[in-house]
Amino acid sequence: MSRREPGRHFRLQLACYGLMLEEVWGAPAPEGILYLIPLKRPVRIKLDKRLRKEAEQTLAEIRKMVLGEQHACPDSSSKSVC
């Protein structure tokens, strides 16, 4: 990760917040701002189609992982913790 530009994970998190705001408030979120602590400055991030698509794909993968954990425990010895 560059100290001058926000990493991919920060951009994805910001895009997810933008998608959430749009869904809850029904208002567009065309951009967001990340504050770079080491440089003590804000960076404006455009929430473009590519970044939104990547965020939506990542969210779909997370949902799939979470839903996959709803299955019964694989072995009987850990059932007390499941």
Side-chain angles (χ1 to χ4, degrees):
M1 175 176 76
S2 168
R3 293 189 68 154
R4 301 203 183 277
E5 291 298 320
R8 176 180 168 262
H9 58 294
F10 290 121
R11 290 173 180 270
L12 280 173
Q13 183 177 4
L14 184 65
C16 290
Y17 282 131
L19 292 171
M20 181 178 65
L21 289 171
E22 289 177 342
E23 183 178 320
V24 172
W25 288 351
E31 63 185 16
I33 296 175
L34 292 172
Y35 188 78
L36 299 180
I37 295 172
L39 299 178
K40 298 181 181 172
R41 70 176 176 91
V43 176
R44 191 175 303 262
I45 306 294
K46 184 174 178 170
L47 304 180
D48 59 17
K49 288 181 183 181
R50 181 193 56 79
L51 183 56
R52 288 169 181 272
K53 183 177 181 179
E54 188 176 359
E56 288 170 349
Q57 289 172 339
T58 302
L59 288 169
E61 291 172 16
I62 292 170
R63 280 187 200 103
K64 189 176 178 181
M65 283 189 281
V66 169
L67 292 174
E69 291 182 2
Q70 292 180 357
H71 298 292
C73 292
D75 68 28
S76 59
S77 65
S78 61
K79 285 188 190 241
S80 62
V81 225
C82 288

